[in-house]
Amino acid sequence: MNIAILFGGSSFEHEISIVSAITLKKVLKKSNLSFIFVDSDREFYLIDSANMKSNYFADGSYKKSKKLILKKGSFCTEGIFGLKEQSLGTVLNLIHGRDGEDGKIASLLEFNNISYISPRVDASVL
């Protein structure tokens, strides 16, 4: 199963989310994982597995990674020939606090028809 771990975010729990994603990488060694980092400006980045270290995010090195754009049905990278869909699999929402736990990410993923693992919008809003 392909799993895209979504982590980071714009809340005060941003760093905890990064640590959670790094830990999950170690726990799910045998799974096919992708990593989608959301920075404090709510931009999405595709992070290489080798760069899943806390200092990579602390010093801003993540900004050298491929930026992702969300469109109906998938995350995409932008190139000279337009958007290229990324086959990342089911998204696992590890964003803590605002955006991740209040239903915003769930709404965004549902609106764009992207399968995800996390509480659904109604449960998150409540």
Side-chain angles (χ1 to χ4, degrees), residues 6 36 44 68-71 73-77 84-88 91 109 114:
L6 184 66
I36 303 171
F44 296 96
L68 291 172
I69 297 166
L70 191 56
K71 83 168 211 184
S74 68
F75 282 93
C76 301
T77 54
K84 180 181 178 188
E85 288 189 15
Q86 301 295 306
S87 299
L88 303 176
V91 173
L109 295 172
I114 295 175

Side-chain angles (χ1 to χ4, degrees), residues 58-123:
D59 67 11
S61 296
Y62 70 87
K63 292 182 180 181
K64 297 174 189 167
S65 298
K66 290 181 182 176
K67 209 172 203 181
L68 291 172
I69 297 166
L70 191 56
K71 83 168 211 184
K72 270 299 193 208
S74 68
F75 282 93
C76 301
T77 54
E78 197 167 19
I80 59 173
F81 298 113
L83 296 178
K84 180 181 178 188
E85 288 189 15
Q86 301 295 306
S87 299
L88 303 176
T90 301
V91 173
L92 174 58
N93 177 13
L94 280 186
I95 296 176
H96 301 300
R98 178 180 64 206
D99 295 346
E101 295 175 356
D102 63 6
K104 287 179 189 158
I105 288 292
S107 295
L108 188 66
L109 295 172
E110 281 185 22
F111 179 80
N112 286 290
N113 296 322
I114 295 175
S115 61
Y116 67 98
I117 301 168
S118 117
R120 295 304 184 230
V121 176
D122 295 344

Side-chain angles (χ1 to χ4, degrees), residues 22 51 53-61:
I22 292 168
N51 292 327
K53 300 173 186 136
S54 58
N55 62 343
Y56 186 75
F57 303 99
D59 67 11
S61 296

Side-chain angles (χ1 to χ4, degrees), residues 29-44:
K29 291 180 223 178
K30 296 180 182 179
S31 298
N32 187 16
L33 301 177
S34 301
F35 298 93
I36 303 171
F37 177 67
V38 182
D39 70 2
S40 58
D41 294 325
R42 296 179 171 137
E43 299 286 342
F44 296 96

